[in-house]
Amino acid sequence: MSLHLEHLNPEQLAAVTLPEGHALILAGAGSGKTRVLTTRIAWLLREGSLSPAGVLAVTFTNKAAREMLTRLTAMLAVNPRGMWIGTFHGLCNRMLRAHHQEAGLPRSFQILDSQDQLAAVKRLLRSMNADEDRFPPRDLQYFIMGKKEEGLRAGGVPLTDETTRRNVELYAAYDEQCRREGVVDFAELLLRSYELLSRNEPLREHYRARFRHVLVDEFQDTNRLQYRWLKLLAGPGASLFAVGDDDQSIYAFRGANVGNMADFERDYRIAKVIRLEQNYRSHGNILDAANALIAHNAKRLGKNLWTASGAGEPLRVFEAQSDADEARWMVEEIRALKREGTRLDQIAVLYRSNAQSRVLEHSLFSASLPYRVYGGLRFFERAEVKHALAYLRLMASPADDNAFLRVVNFPTRGIGARSVEGLQDAAKAGGRNLYETALASPGKAAPFVALIEALREECAGLTLAEQVELVVARSGLLTHYKSEREGADRIENLNELVNAAAAFDSEERAAEAGEDMDPLTAFLTHAALEAGEHQAGEGQDALQLMTMHSAKGLEFDAVFVSGLEEGLFPHEQSLLDRDGPEEERRLMYVALTRARQRLYLSFAQTRMLHGQTRYNLPSRFLDEIPQGLLKWLTPRFAEKRKPVSNFTAGSFTRAPKRDPRFGGAPAGTGGAPGAYRIGQNVSHAKFGAGVIVDAEGQGTDARVQVNFGRQGVKWLAVAVAKLQAA
């Protein structure tokens, strides 16, 4: 096999050819970490250190796992399907399928995605007569998922107060409901797998002996339980090869613990950390800006990106009057890029908050520029697809109450809410699931149960694709959507589900689930694990709009980073958390390093968010980038800050609006040229730079409210404030 080791740089080669033992690879953005991971596996196989069945490689997306398999297939003369390469959830599912009895699960257990889990929580609350105002379903869902990701069952949660005690009771009842119905949520996959390995020593030793090399991608995104799971598998004599970048850890809100990297270095006594610092994506000025910015974070392992491709162009900075002005400027710049030959799909507009997209979308639509909001509704999350999957889930596992409730009356078959409630009461009283209850007691749900029984019988002997096609037709979904005025797209999605089943059955089933699982259960597992992953859309060349979190792992020729204002980015909520500003700075670092050639930074003096006008200070991040790397397309904020002496106390301008607090007339009319006005930039000897966001009173009683950014918002008496115009 040819591994093309000569194409690796010295650091990449050192990482690929490390002797057996634990290793930490600090891989910067665009440094070729996927290449290093796959070549490392291929090198181990070539050197005879292990067989394909001895490889365990963990990624964070199914897309990344498929890319690794594709590359390995091209590099190796062996079939890589014997390897365990996948996400944490996918690999834990595979382990639990193989050892379902030891794990206390039915053979055909079903997986709840986030929406299904929320529905299950709502059913639980209703069955226990819990007050949803006191215990909002989504809050309880987050509580349960959070505790599972900490490795805690209900019995292990400390009872700190009455609310926690009640949440713990509901958590225990939720676990019992899932056990009764034969379903697991995403967090349960990992926790159940961890518990299985913890208590079953022979099984644990079996996997330790098999997987002597454990490789982990995106290690900075692991949570505490995932790290504990890895430590269980990587026993004495194993080699744990962790690749990650602490500067790109941006998922603390999902439970990611950036401290795992430092813990790994300490726990395994890593003598030398290999740093991949040569960047193959961005020009030098972009990397210099990113390096300078992230250097302001104290808690980092440290590295410095560089490139051999030259400095490139400076970063362009634009200060807009308003968010609408910012959007109009972006449209003109994008048009100019397009005229120069840049494809629209190689241009991305990034924003911190989804709420920012409305103004951008309006300007793009008005300019007839095609765009796509990256991370929109995913294929397996579309309503019509979930309806079809619910029918299939009931065929595979009749105990699945979520699936039952989703389609028992869809398409409509005369089973109203009262009938369903009666069925639920009877099921609860008899200690049975809804399907068993409907099967045993004639009623309005009887024809529905008969349909599922008939579908199961008719599907016997059919291929997976034929089963899906039959269910889509016989369930009434096709007829229903044909009657809808805009049902054509939904019908296309149902047809695509049949295509997905055919492709899965022929190409992916054995690799993802093993040969032992029946095709339908394997496909349903695949659909649940794929839910939430972006499906690349077909169609015209289109500009990419996305949040900065969504941009992780992507790259573009030109990137616009919008909304660089204090309180928006860094987000005001982050300033309340001790580690929040550092995570926001890491998010900015990710945003900067998405750009290959051109990088645009913009902020607005005023912005409409959540129905209110915000008066803004430029983000601190603009001050943390060396000014020599920036090209200001408007006069720099700092350059406009000039002391003046002609302020008139109590004189305000708020044109063109009229404020009732100023007698209904425009405030400050007739004032001096340097009169205060709402939205004006000012500076204060103690609090520094700020912007006037409100005002009240007149004459010696006048006062202004000033947003001083990181110093907070303060009311100041004009007569004694000694503010200077900026």
Side-chain angles (χ1 to χ4, degrees), residues 517-569:
M517 197 188 314
D518 72 274
L520 180 55
T521 300
F523 179 63
L524 292 170
T525 297
H526 165 79
L529 293 174
E530 281 279 315
E533 281 209 14
H534 175 70
Q535 303 288 329
E538 298 289 338
Q540 65 186 123
D541 180 30
L543 178 73
Q544 306 293 303
L545 300 185
M546 66 191 74
T547 65
M548 294 167 191
H549 283 97
S550 297
K552 175 80 160 46
L554 304 176
E555 57 186 77
F556 304 91
D557 288 343
V559 170
F560 291 78
V561 181
S562 65
L564 282 167
E565 299 136 27
E566 284 291 306
L568 181 56
F569 192 36

Side-chain angles (χ1 to χ4, degrees), residues 174-190:
Y174 169 82
D175 263 359
E176 173 57 26
Q177 175 178 289
C178 289
R179 183 203 62 77
R180 188 170 62 248
E181 297 176 7
V183 297
V184 298
D185 54 49
F186 270 34
E188 182 72 17
L189 287 170
L190 186 66

